[in-house]
Amino acid sequence: MPTVVLPEASRWDDPTPLRVTGLDPGQTVTLQSSATAWFDGTGTTTATFTADAEGVVDTSDQAPFVGDYEGVAPTGWLWALSETDGPGGGQPAGDAGDPTVEIVVEADGEQLATAETTRRRATEGVSHEWVETPAFAGVLFTPPGDGPHPGVVALHGSAGRPLRGVGAALASRGYATLAVQYFGEPDPVPDALAAVPVETVDAAATHLRERPNTTEQIAVFGRSKGAELALVTAARCSWPAAVVAVAPTQYRWQALEGGEEPRSSWTLDGDPLPFVPFRAAPGECDGATVFRETYAGSRDRVAPDRLDAARIDADSVDTPALLVAGGDDQMWPSGTDTAALTDRLRTVETRQYPDAGHGISLPHAPTTTTTAAGGLALGGTPAANARASADHWPAVLDHLAAMCQ
């Protein structure tokens, strides 16, 4: 009798292949996955396989011959999910709670087997609480047990939402993680991504360090504009024990919002830090705005001395750094900037993915909305972004583990 082999529940960032046993050798079967938590409606994906000589289909080493993805993809049954009956534009992976995915196995129109599995955002015992002080706001994720636990300050990008998914995943791995919100609605932070005090990150690290169950080892993790802020922090402070920058830049840039006159994204002691102003128009591709052309074109239209002043002082970063970038990043040229930063950082490891875009994120979640969002081109393909997300995450965990040795 055909059986779907999947755990009843697994951690969100665990690579969990789907396996079907009890089939006839050579039998053609279609696997359909469906879930609602990631989308406004229902997300589905289908893939058709041929059972091997043992009557098994195993996504860890078999590729579908037709379906919503190509090639061997152990978790293609997850990342290839796309919305089929909602308004479109599925929800961010980090905000999807604990999704339950239903699997249906069919052959010749007959249902052979079904199963359900839940993807847990956090392991049992992880707690979270909203923290708001005069200097910062955010969500603190605490691992189970008495500790002491190493810490991570996690910095979001221009979307302005705390990296809850990253916080839950890292707390599940033993890191007390403060997912900071450094601009937006909370009272202690600026309303927009403009003139954000870089001391916000220091205050978050101090909050972690003063907890009785947190060690002195605290890393800073940033994505996109958060990667910019993470590198700015690592260049001016000695406290980060490690830095992870996903889709980074080598410059400080003009604020995305902030009035008629160009303003810096960041301040130090109340003074704006030097920045590169926008001097080039964005492009357009398939109806989406391509900001990469603004970032790449502006640096060529700025005086060399101003450009040098806005360059992040990577030579001053003493802590080991991990840089992650996609070569097809259409938000800004994180790939070429990663190469430039690599030449200047003292201790650095890089993960470059030529076909991936800006949307490298937590692994094993839907990537069908990661190539564009909110009218903005992000680049890559769902498959390339999924594979980059799956490959980079173990490197992130190894990099953080090394700071504890």
PDB file of all heavy atoms in Angstrom, residues 2-6 18-23 27-33 47 49 57 102-115:
ATOM      1  N   PRO A   2       0.658   2.187  -0.910  1.00  0.00           N
ATOM      2  CA  PRO A   2       1.496   3.383  -0.946  1.00  0.00           C
ATOM      3  C   PRO A   2       1.412   4.178   0.362  1.00  0.00           C
ATOM      4  O   PRO A   2       0.340   4.339   0.944  1.00  0.00           O
ATOM      5  CB  PRO A   2       0.909   4.181  -2.116  1.00  0.00           C
ATOM      6  CG  PRO A   2       0.259   3.162  -2.988  1.00  0.00           C
ATOM      7  CD  PRO A   2      -0.275   2.131  -2.046  1.00  0.00           C
ATOM      8  N   THR A   3       2.573   4.677   0.797  1.00  0.00           N
ATOM      9  CA  THR A   3       2.661   5.441   2.044  1.00  0.00           C
ATOM     10  C   THR A   3       3.563   6.642   1.834  1.00  0.00           C
ATOM     11  O   THR A   3       4.642   6.535   1.249  1.00  0.00           O
ATOM     12  CB  THR A   3       3.233   4.561   3.176  1.00  0.00           C
ATOM     13  OG1 THR A   3       2.407   3.415   3.349  1.00  0.00           O
ATOM     14  CG2 THR A   3       3.298   5.350   4.480  1.00  0.00           C
ATOM     15  N   VAL A   4       3.108   7.800   2.321  1.00  0.00           N
ATOM     16  CA  VAL A   4       3.938   8.999   2.307  1.00  0.00           C
ATOM     17  C   VAL A   4       4.783   9.015   3.569  1.00  0.00           C
ATOM     18  O   VAL A   4       4.245   8.958   4.685  1.00  0.00           O
ATOM     19  CB  VAL A   4       3.078  10.273   2.230  1.00  0.00           C
ATOM     20  CG1 VAL A   4       3.979  11.511   2.245  1.00  0.00           C
ATOM     21  CG2 VAL A   4       2.208  10.265   0.983  1.00  0.00           C
ATOM     22  N   VAL A   5       6.088   9.075   3.392  1.00  0.00           N
ATOM     23  CA  VAL A   5       7.011   9.059   4.524  1.00  0.00           C
ATOM     24  C   VAL A   5       7.466  10.491   4.791  1.00  0.00           C
ATOM     25  O   VAL A   5       8.297  11.054   4.068  1.00  0.00           O
ATOM     26  CB  VAL A   5       8.219   8.149   4.246  1.00  0.00           C
ATOM     27  CG1 VAL A   5       9.146   8.119   5.467  1.00  0.00           C
ATOM     28  CG2 VAL A   5       7.760   6.747   3.873  1.00  0.00           C
ATOM     29  N   LEU A   6       6.889  11.081   5.829  1.00  0.00           N
ATOM     30  CA  LEU A   6       7.233  12.423   6.279  1.00  0.00           C
ATOM     31  C   LEU A   6       7.036  12.489   7.780  1.00  0.00           C
ATOM     32  O   LEU A   6       6.125  11.836   8.304  1.00  0.00           O
ATOM     33  CB  LEU A   6       6.318  13.478   5.632  1.00  0.00           C
ATOM     34  CG  LEU A   6       6.674  14.061   4.276  1.00  0.00           C
ATOM     35  CD1 LEU A   6       5.555  15.007   3.821  1.00  0.00           C
ATOM     36  CD2 LEU A   6       7.994  14.814   4.312  1.00  0.00           C
ATOM     37  N   LEU A  18      10.644  14.481   0.647  1.00  0.00           N
ATOM     38  CA  LEU A  18       9.377  13.736   0.643  1.00  0.00           C
ATOM     39  C   LEU A  18       9.630  12.370  -0.001  1.00  0.00           C
ATOM     40  O   LEU A  18      10.255  12.287  -1.065  1.00  0.00           O
ATOM     41  CB  LEU A  18       8.333  14.528  -0.145  1.00  0.00           C
ATOM     42  CG  LEU A  18       6.868  14.091  -0.096  1.00  0.00           C
ATOM     43  CD1 LEU A  18       5.975  15.264  -0.490  1.00  0.00           C
ATOM     44  CD2 LEU A  18       6.580  12.914  -1.021  1.00  0.00           C
ATOM     45  N   ARG A  19       9.113  11.324   0.652  1.00  0.00           N
ATOM     46  CA  ARG A  19       9.341   9.965   0.159  1.00  0.00           C
ATOM     47  C   ARG A  19       8.014   9.214   0.116  1.00  0.00           C
ATOM     48  O   ARG A  19       7.205   9.307   1.042  1.00  0.00           O
ATOM     49  CB  ARG A  19      10.335   9.256   1.091  1.00  0.00           C
ATOM     50  CG  ARG A  19      10.977   8.005   0.542  1.00  0.00           C
ATOM     51  CD  ARG A  19      12.196   7.629   1.392  1.00  0.00           C
ATOM     52  NE  ARG A  19      12.915   6.518   0.839  1.00  0.00           N
ATOM     53  CZ  ARG A  19      12.770   5.246   1.214  1.00  0.00           C
ATOM     54  NH1 ARG A  19      11.912   4.951   2.195  1.00  0.00           N
ATOM     55  NH2 ARG A  19      13.456   4.283   0.660  1.00  0.00           N
ATOM     56  N   VAL A  20       7.783   8.488  -0.978  1.00  0.00           N
ATOM     57  CA  VAL A  20       6.593   7.649  -1.114  1.00  0.00           C
ATOM     58  C   VAL A  20       7.060   6.221  -1.363  1.00  0.00           C
ATOM     59  O   VAL A  20       7.834   5.964  -2.298  1.00  0.00           O
ATOM     60  CB  VAL A  20       5.689   8.118  -2.264  1.00  0.00           C
ATOM     61  CG1 VAL A  20       4.428   7.252  -2.328  1.00  0.00           C
ATOM     62  CG2 VAL A  20       5.319   9.584  -2.100  1.00  0.00           C
ATOM     63  N   THR A  21       6.592   5.295  -0.543  1.00  0.00           N
ATOM     64  CA  THR A  21       6.949   3.885  -0.689  1.00  0.00           C
ATOM     65  C   THR A  21       5.702   3.072  -1.048  1.00  0.00           C
ATOM     66  O   THR A  21       4.580   3.558  -0.995  1.00  0.00           O
ATOM     67  CB  THR A  21       7.557   3.342   0.609  1.00  0.00           C
ATOM     68  OG1 THR A  21       6.579   3.438   1.660  1.00  0.00           O
ATOM     69  CG2 THR A  21       8.790   4.139   1.018  1.00  0.00           C
ATOM     70  N   GLY A  22       5.932   1.808  -1.394  1.00  0.00           N
ATOM     71  CA  GLY A  22       4.816   0.908  -1.667  1.00  0.00           C
ATOM     72  C   GLY A  22       4.184   1.071  -3.031  1.00  0.00           C
ATOM     73  O   GLY A  22       3.077   0.557  -3.276  1.00  0.00           O
ATOM     74  N   LEU A  23       4.856   1.746  -3.945  1.00  0.00           N
ATOM     75  CA  LEU A  23       4.347   1.900  -5.307  1.00  0.00           C
ATOM     76  C   LEU A  23       4.793   0.721  -6.166  1.00  0.00           C
ATOM     77  O   LEU A  23       5.669  -0.071  -5.784  1.00  0.00           O
ATOM     78  CB  LEU A  23       4.880   3.202  -5.909  1.00  0.00           C
ATOM     79  CG  LEU A  23       4.505   4.502  -5.189  1.00  0.00           C
ATOM     80  CD1 LEU A  23       5.332   5.669  -5.728  1.00  0.00           C
ATOM     81  CD2 LEU A  23       3.018   4.787  -5.340  1.00  0.00           C
ATOM     82  N   GLN A  27       5.909   2.840 -11.782  1.00  0.00           N
ATOM     83  CA  GLN A  27       4.593   3.496 -11.767  1.00  0.00           C
ATOM     84  C   GLN A  27       4.748   5.015 -11.840  1.00  0.00           C
ATOM     85  O   GLN A  27       5.632   5.598 -11.212  1.00  0.00           O
ATOM     86  CB  GLN A  27       3.830   3.110 -10.499  1.00  0.00           C
ATOM     87  CG  GLN A  27       2.397   3.619 -10.441  1.00  0.00           C
ATOM     88  CD  GLN A  27       1.654   3.118  -9.216  1.00  0.00           C
ATOM     89  OE1 GLN A  27       2.244   2.538  -8.287  1.00  0.00           O
ATOM     90  NE2 GLN A  27       0.335   3.300  -9.203  1.00  0.00           N
ATOM     91  N   THR A  28       3.888   5.654 -12.597  1.00  0.00           N
ATOM     92  CA  THR A  28       3.866   7.107 -12.703  1.00  0.00           C
ATOM     93  C   THR A  28       2.889   7.672 -11.679  1.00  0.00           C
ATOM     94  O   THR A  28       1.719   7.288 -11.651  1.00  0.00           O
ATOM     95  CB  THR A  28       3.440   7.541 -14.112  1.00  0.00           C
ATOM     96  OG1 THR A  28       4.400   7.079 -15.066  1.00  0.00           O
ATOM     97  CG2 THR A  28       3.341   9.062 -14.203  1.00  0.00           C
ATOM     98  N   VAL A  29       3.385   8.560 -10.836  1.00  0.00           N
ATOM     99  CA  VAL A  29       2.546   9.162  -9.799  1.00  0.00           C
ATOM    100  C   VAL A  29       2.770  10.668  -9.768  1.00  0.00           C
ATOM    101  O   VAL A  29       3.852  11.157 -10.086  1.00  0.00           O
ATOM    102  CB  VAL A  29       2.824   8.567  -8.404  1.00  0.00           C
ATOM    103  CG1 VAL A  29       2.447   7.092  -8.353  1.00  0.00           C
ATOM    104  CG2 VAL A  29       4.273   8.771  -7.996  1.00  0.00           C
ATOM    105  N   THR A  30       1.735  11.379  -9.375  1.00  0.00           N
ATOM    106  CA  THR A  30       1.800  12.826  -9.211  1.00  0.00           C
ATOM    107  C   THR A  30       1.680  13.164  -7.738  1.00  0.00           C
ATOM    108  O   THR A  30       0.768  12.686  -7.054  1.00  0.00           O
ATOM    109  CB  THR A  30       0.692  13.530 -10.006  1.00  0.00           C
ATOM    110  OG1 THR A  30       0.888  13.280 -11.400  1.00  0.00           O
ATOM    111  CG2 THR A  30       0.726  15.040  -9.764  1.00  0.00           C
ATOM    112  N   LEU A  31       2.605  13.975  -7.260  1.00  0.00           N
ATOM    113  CA  LEU A  31       2.591  14.452  -5.877  1.00  0.00           C
ATOM    114  C   LEU A  31       2.098  15.895  -5.879  1.00  0.00           C
ATOM    115  O   LEU A  31       2.646  16.744  -6.585  1.00  0.00           O
ATOM    116  CB  LEU A  31       3.986  14.387  -5.256  1.00  0.00           C
ATOM    117  CG  LEU A  31       4.778  13.085  -5.417  1.00  0.00           C
ATOM    118  CD1 LEU A  31       6.099  13.183  -4.648  1.00  0.00           C
ATOM    119  CD2 LEU A  31       3.976  11.896  -4.955  1.00  0.00           C
ATOM    120  N   GLN A  32       1.057  16.151  -5.111  1.00  0.00           N
ATOM    121  CA  GLN A  32       0.555  17.518  -4.969  1.00  0.00           C
ATOM    122  C   GLN A  32       0.668  17.956  -3.526  1.00  0.00           C
ATOM    123  O   GLN A  32       0.220  17.263  -2.616  1.00  0.00           O
ATOM    124  CB  GLN A  32      -0.896  17.630  -5.425  1.00  0.00           C
ATOM    125  CG  GLN A  32      -1.464  19.046  -5.215  1.00  0.00           C
ATOM    126  CD  GLN A  32      -2.864  19.216  -5.746  1.00  0.00           C
ATOM    127  OE1 GLN A  32      -3.070  19.276  -6.945  1.00  0.00           O
ATOM    128  NE2 GLN A  32      -3.832  19.321  -4.845  1.00  0.00           N
ATOM    129  N   SER A  33       1.286  19.129  -3.315  1.00  0.00           N
ATOM    130  CA  SER A  33       1.366  19.743  -1.991  1.00  0.00           C
ATOM    131  C   SER A  33       0.452  20.957  -1.974  1.00  0.00           C
ATOM    132  O   SER A  33       0.319  21.661  -2.975  1.00  0.00           O
ATOM    133  CB  SER A  33       2.794  20.199  -1.689  1.00  0.00           C
ATOM    134  OG  SER A  33       3.730  19.172  -1.885  1.00  0.00           O
ATOM    135  N   ALA A  47       4.149  17.744  -9.001  1.00  0.00           N
ATOM    136  CA  ALA A  47       5.297  17.181  -9.708  1.00  0.00           C
ATOM    137  C   ALA A  47       5.023  15.704  -9.958  1.00  0.00           C
ATOM    138  O   ALA A  47       4.479  15.004  -9.087  1.00  0.00           O
ATOM    139  CB  ALA A  47       6.570  17.359  -8.891  1.00  0.00           C
ATOM    140  N   PHE A  49       6.421  11.910 -11.020  1.00  0.00           N
ATOM    141  CA  PHE A  49       7.620  11.080 -10.928  1.00  0.00           C
ATOM    142  C   PHE A  49       7.349   9.677 -11.454  1.00  0.00           C
ATOM    143  O   PHE A  49       6.190   9.238 -11.538  1.00  0.00           O
ATOM    144  CB  PHE A  49       8.085  10.954  -9.473  1.00  0.00           C
ATOM    145  CG  PHE A  49       8.521  12.224  -8.822  1.00  0.00           C
ATOM    146  CD1 PHE A  49       7.586  13.126  -8.316  1.00  0.00           C
ATOM    147  CD2 PHE A  49       9.866  12.522  -8.680  1.00  0.00           C
ATOM    148  CE1 PHE A  49       7.983  14.293  -7.688  1.00  0.00           C
ATOM    149  CE2 PHE A  49      10.274  13.691  -8.056  1.00  0.00           C
ATOM    150  CZ  PHE A  49       9.335  14.572  -7.559  1.00  0.00           C
ATOM    151  N   VAL A  57       9.446   6.665  -4.637  1.00  0.00           N
ATOM    152  CA  VAL A  57       9.742   8.011  -5.118  1.00  0.00           C
ATOM    153  C   VAL A  57      10.362   8.767  -3.954  1.00  0.00           C
ATOM    154  O   VAL A  57       9.783   8.821  -2.868  1.00  0.00           O
ATOM    155  CB  VAL A  57       8.483   8.737  -5.621  1.00  0.00           C
ATOM    156  CG1 VAL A  57       8.770  10.226  -5.812  1.00  0.00           C
ATOM    157  CG2 VAL A  57       7.989   8.129  -6.921  1.00  0.00           C
ATOM    158  N   GLU A 102      -0.422  19.725   3.196  1.00  0.00           N
ATOM    159  CA  GLU A 102      -1.097  18.478   2.859  1.00  0.00           C
ATOM    160  C   GLU A 102      -0.487  17.896   1.589  1.00  0.00           C
ATOM    161  O   GLU A 102      -0.271  18.608   0.608  1.00  0.00           O
ATOM    162  CB  GLU A 102      -2.592  18.707   2.649  1.00  0.00           C
ATOM    163  CG  GLU A 102      -3.353  17.424   2.316  1.00  0.00           C
ATOM    164  CD  GLU A 102      -4.833  17.646   2.062  1.00  0.00           C
ATOM    165  OE1 GLU A 102      -5.262  18.816   2.070  1.00  0.00           O
ATOM    166  OE2 GLU A 102      -5.551  16.655   1.854  1.00  0.00           O
ATOM    167  N   ILE A 103      -0.207  16.602   1.613  1.00  0.00           N
ATOM    168  CA  ILE A 103       0.367  15.894   0.467  1.00  0.00           C
ATOM    169  C   ILE A 103      -0.663  14.904  -0.056  1.00  0.00           C
ATOM    170  O   ILE A 103      -1.242  14.128   0.718  1.00  0.00           O
ATOM    171  CB  ILE A 103       1.648  15.133   0.847  1.00  0.00           C
ATOM    172  CG1 ILE A 103       2.612  16.029   1.639  1.00  0.00           C
ATOM    173  CG2 ILE A 103       2.316  14.550  -0.391  1.00  0.00           C
ATOM    174  CD1 ILE A 103       3.106  17.214   0.895  1.00  0.00           C
ATOM    175  N   VAL A 104      -0.870  14.908  -1.357  1.00  0.00           N
ATOM    176  CA  VAL A 104      -1.762  13.944  -2.002  1.00  0.00           C
ATOM    177  C   VAL A 104      -0.971  13.247  -3.108  1.00  0.00           C
ATOM    178  O   VAL A 104      -0.326  13.909  -3.932  1.00  0.00           O
ATOM    179  CB  VAL A 104      -3.009  14.619  -2.593  1.00  0.00           C
ATOM    180  CG1 VAL A 104      -3.875  13.594  -3.334  1.00  0.00           C
ATOM    181  CG2 VAL A 104      -3.826  15.295  -1.495  1.00  0.00           C
ATOM    182  N   VAL A 105      -1.018  11.903  -3.115  1.00  0.00           N
ATOM    183  CA  VAL A 105      -0.370  11.100  -4.151  1.00  0.00           C
ATOM    184  C   VAL A 105      -1.456  10.519  -5.045  1.00  0.00           C
ATOM    185  O   VAL A 105      -2.378   9.855  -4.559  1.00  0.00           O
ATOM    186  CB  VAL A 105       0.475   9.962  -3.536  1.00  0.00           C
ATOM    187  CG1 VAL A 105       1.193   9.175  -4.630  1.00  0.00           C
ATOM    188  CG2 VAL A 105       1.476  10.521  -2.528  1.00  0.00           C
ATOM    189  N   GLU A 106      -1.354  10.759  -6.348  1.00  0.00           N
ATOM    190  CA  GLU A 106      -2.359  10.288  -7.298  1.00  0.00           C
ATOM    191  C   GLU A 106      -1.708   9.545  -8.448  1.00  0.00           C
ATOM    192  O   GLU A 106      -0.561   9.827  -8.815  1.00  0.00           O
ATOM    193  CB  GLU A 106      -3.163  11.470  -7.858  1.00  0.00           C
ATOM    194  CG  GLU A 106      -4.016  12.199  -6.839  1.00  0.00           C
ATOM    195  CD  GLU A 106      -4.836  13.307  -7.471  1.00  0.00           C
ATOM    196  OE1 GLU A 106      -4.502  13.715  -8.611  1.00  0.00           O
ATOM    197  OE2 GLU A 106      -5.807  13.781  -6.832  1.00  0.00           O
ATOM    198  N   ALA A 107      -2.471   8.627  -9.029  1.00  0.00           N
ATOM    199  CA  ALA A 107      -2.069   7.921 -10.244  1.00  0.00           C
ATOM    200  C   ALA A 107      -3.322   7.620 -11.048  1.00  0.00           C
ATOM    201  O   ALA A 107      -4.293   7.056 -10.514  1.00  0.00           O
ATOM    202  CB  ALA A 107      -1.325   6.631  -9.914  1.00  0.00           C
ATOM    203  N   ASP A 108      -3.329   8.019 -12.306  1.00  0.00           N
ATOM    204  CA  ASP A 108      -4.471   7.783 -13.193  1.00  0.00           C
ATOM    205  C   ASP A 108      -5.776   8.290 -12.585  1.00  0.00           C
ATOM    206  O   ASP A 108      -6.827   7.638 -12.683  1.00  0.00           O
ATOM    207  CB  ASP A 108      -4.589   6.283 -13.527  1.00  0.00           C
ATOM    208  CG  ASP A 108      -3.360   5.746 -14.245  1.00  0.00           C
ATOM    209  OD1 ASP A 108      -2.803   6.489 -15.084  1.00  0.00           O
ATOM    210  OD2 ASP A 108      -2.945   4.618 -13.945  1.00  0.00           O
ATOM    211  N   GLY A 109      -5.684   9.457 -11.951  1.00  0.00           N
ATOM    212  CA  GLY A 109      -6.883  10.056 -11.382  1.00  0.00           C
ATOM    213  C   GLY A 109      -7.342   9.458 -10.075  1.00  0.00           C
ATOM    214  O   GLY A 109      -8.351   9.895  -9.506  1.00  0.00           O
ATOM    215  N   GLU A 110      -6.625   8.472  -9.564  1.00  0.00           N
ATOM    216  CA  GLU A 110      -6.983   7.814  -8.305  1.00  0.00           C
ATOM    217  C   GLU A 110      -6.053   8.275  -7.185  1.00  0.00           C
ATOM    218  O   GLU A 110      -4.837   8.335  -7.349  1.00  0.00           O
ATOM    219  CB  GLU A 110      -6.888   6.297  -8.456  1.00  0.00           C
ATOM    220  CG  GLU A 110      -7.220   5.534  -7.178  1.00  0.00           C
ATOM    221  CD  GLU A 110      -6.986   4.038  -7.313  1.00  0.00           C
ATOM    222  OE1 GLU A 110      -6.610   3.587  -8.407  1.00  0.00           O
ATOM    223  OE2 GLU A 110      -7.171   3.324  -6.306  1.00  0.00           O
ATOM    224  N   GLN A 111      -6.654   8.596  -6.056  1.00  0.00           N
ATOM    225  CA  GLN A 111      -5.877   9.006  -4.897  1.00  0.00           C
ATOM    226  C   GLN A 111      -5.315   7.770  -4.207  1.00  0.00           C
ATOM    227  O   GLN A 111      -6.057   6.901  -3.750  1.00  0.00           O
ATOM    228  CB  GLN A 111      -6.757   9.805  -3.936  1.00  0.00           C
ATOM    229  CG  GLN A 111      -5.991  10.446  -2.791  1.00  0.00           C
ATOM    230  CD  GLN A 111      -6.897  11.302  -1.918  1.00  0.00           C
ATOM    231  OE1 GLN A 111      -7.247  10.922  -0.800  1.00  0.00           O
ATOM    232  NE2 GLN A 111      -7.292  12.458  -2.444  1.00  0.00           N
ATOM    233  N   LEU A 112      -3.979   7.724  -4.112  1.00  0.00           N
ATOM    234  CA  LEU A 112      -3.317   6.550  -3.534  1.00  0.00           C
ATOM    235  C   LEU A 112      -2.941   6.735  -2.070  1.00  0.00           C
ATOM    236  O   LEU A 112      -2.942   5.767  -1.299  1.00  0.00           O
ATOM    237  CB  LEU A 112      -2.051   6.223  -4.327  1.00  0.00           C
ATOM    238  CG  LEU A 112      -2.192   5.968  -5.825  1.00  0.00           C
ATOM    239  CD1 LEU A 112      -0.838   5.622  -6.425  1.00  0.00           C
ATOM    240  CD2 LEU A 112      -3.203   4.861  -6.087  1.00  0.00           C
ATOM    241  N   ALA A 113      -2.599   7.939  -1.687  1.00  0.00           N
ATOM    242  CA  ALA A 113      -2.158   8.164  -0.305  1.00  0.00           C
ATOM    243  C   ALA A 113      -2.214   9.660  -0.011  1.00  0.00           C
ATOM    244  O   ALA A 113      -2.142  10.497  -0.920  1.00  0.00           O
ATOM    245  CB  ALA A 113      -0.729   7.650  -0.100  1.00  0.00           C
ATOM    246  N   THR A 114      -2.353   9.977   1.278  1.00  0.00           N
ATOM    247  CA  THR A 114      -2.322  11.373   1.726  1.00  0.00           C
ATOM    248  C   THR A 114      -1.505  11.460   3.008  1.00  0.00           C
ATOM    249  O   THR A 114      -1.306  10.451   3.709  1.00  0.00           O
ATOM    250  CB  THR A 114      -3.734  11.934   1.998  1.00  0.00           C
ATOM    251  OG1 THR A 114      -4.329  11.200   3.071  1.00  0.00           O
ATOM    252  CG2 THR A 114      -4.605  11.845   0.747  1.00  0.00           C
ATOM    253  N   ALA A 115      -1.071  12.649   3.305  1.00  0.00           N
ATOM    254  CA  ALA A 115      -0.352  12.888   4.564  1.00  0.00           C
ATOM    255  C   ALA A 115      -0.371  14.380   4.857  1.00  0.00           C
ATOM    256  O   ALA A 115      -0.606  15.202   3.968  1.00  0.00           O
ATOM    257  CB  ALA A 115       1.089  12.389   4.469  1.00  0.00           C
TER     258      ALA A 115
END
